[in-house]
């Protein structure tokens, strides 16, 4: 009987078993990141006070390629928001204001942005912030979205790109996921 056999079975070396476990964990992590959730770090103050620089978000990847009004989404802005961006500037986080055929205007007599003639209630805006200093009146093309940062005074968003390719609208298939929760720092952690 071989030294490596016990009851007729071959014993696996602990290093091999550990290596197999590490590979399986890495594969599982990649699958989770691709299909379930993905972390992103907030790089700017464009979504303050909802999100602040340094916050780490988890995105719900089941919402990939889809969005609804009011959602906070992470999207691939390459060719739209970031025409020649490096990977560090490729992903953006903004709030979806209008989608797929909606008519969005700024602003009504009270100063509110309207979607299909209905004024938006925007309690997430910082105190004293106007919904927009830039006037616009447009219809969002099919399968696209119009996005704004919550910190309108410090946000490059759809309003600033109206004359650019795509007219500031981003295709829905560019949505990486819906921002689901803040996971870091722990003091700000929680669902969005």
């Amino acid at each position: 009987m071989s030294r490596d056999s016990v009851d007729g079975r071959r014993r696996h070396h602990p290093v091999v078993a550990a290596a197999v476990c590490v590979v399986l964990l890495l594969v599982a992590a990649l699958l989770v990141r691709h299909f379930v959730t993905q972390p992103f770090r907030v790089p700017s103050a464009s979504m303050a006070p909802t999100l602040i620089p340094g916050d780490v978000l988890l995105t719900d990847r089941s919402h990939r390629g889809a969005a609804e009004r009011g959602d906070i989404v992470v999207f691939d802005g390459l060719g739209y928001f970031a025409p020649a961006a490096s990977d560090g500037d490729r992903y953006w986080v903004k709030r979806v204001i209008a989608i797929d055929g909606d008519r969005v205007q700024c602003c009504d007599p009270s100063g509110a942005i309207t979607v299909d003639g209905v004024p938006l209630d925007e309690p997430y805006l910082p105190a004293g912030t106007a919904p927009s200093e830039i006037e616009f009146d447009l219809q969002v093309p099919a399968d696209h979205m119009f996005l704004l940062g919550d910190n309108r005074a410090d946000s490059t968003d759809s309003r600033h790109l109206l004359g650019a390719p795509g007219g500031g609208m981003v295709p829905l298939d560019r949505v990486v996921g819906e921002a689901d929760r803040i996971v870091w720092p722990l003091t700000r952690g929680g669902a969005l």
Side-chain angles (χ1 to χ4, degrees):
M1 187 184 259
S2 161
R3 290 177 83 192
D4 291 335
S5 299
V6 175
D7 298 326
R9 290 179 294 185
R10 184 180 169 140
R11 290 175 115 193
H12 294 285
H13 194 279
V15 173
V16 172
V20 168
C21 286
V22 167
V23 168
L24 289 175
L25 287 172
L26 287 173
V27 168
L30 288 172
L31 289 172
V32 165
R33 182 175 182 209
H34 186 74
F35 293 109
V36 181
T37 190
Q38 184 173 353
F40 287 94
R41 183 176 299 278
V42 176
S44 73
S46 71
M47 285 296 293
T50 308
L51 302 171
I52 60 173
D55 283 351
V56 176
L57 308 172
L58 286 183
T59 58
D60 181 349
R61 299 280 288 168
S62 69
H63 291 266
R64 183 177 45 224
E68 295 181 13
R69 281 188 230 136
D71 288 351
I72 298 173
V73 295
V74 174
F75 63 96
D76 180 350
L78 193 61
Y80 292 90
F81 273 45
S86 65
D87 277 348
D89 297 329
R90 180 176 187 166
Y91 297 103
W92 295 63
V93 58
K94 301 288 179 196
R95 188 177 299 272
V96 178
I97 300 299
I99 57 169
D100 205 20
D102 289 339
R103 181 174 180 197
V104 60
Q105 294 176 285
C106 178
C107 288
D108 71 3
S110 71
I113 292 174
T114 63
V115 176
D116 294 333
V118 178
L120 288 181
D121 179 26
E122 299 188 283
Y124 42 78
L125 294 178
T129 300
S132 180
E133 297 292 332
I134 299 170
E135 292 184 12
F136 51 85
D137 182 355
L138 53 97
Q139 187 164 9
V140 180
D143 300 319
H144 283 70
M145 56 189 170
F146 183 85
L147 303 132
L148 298 176
D150 289 357
N151 186 4
R152 306 283 161 78
D154 187 20
S155 176
T156 299
D157 48 40
S158 291
R159 300 169 299 164
H160 297 94
L161 301 166
L162 295 174
M169 271 39 98
V170 176
L172 288 167
D173 66 8
R174 292 299 191 99
V175 173
V176 174
E178 181 181 355
D180 188 44
R181 62 180 40 253
I182 298 170
V183 294
W184 188 262
L186 295 177
T187 55
R188 289 187 39 80
L192 291 171

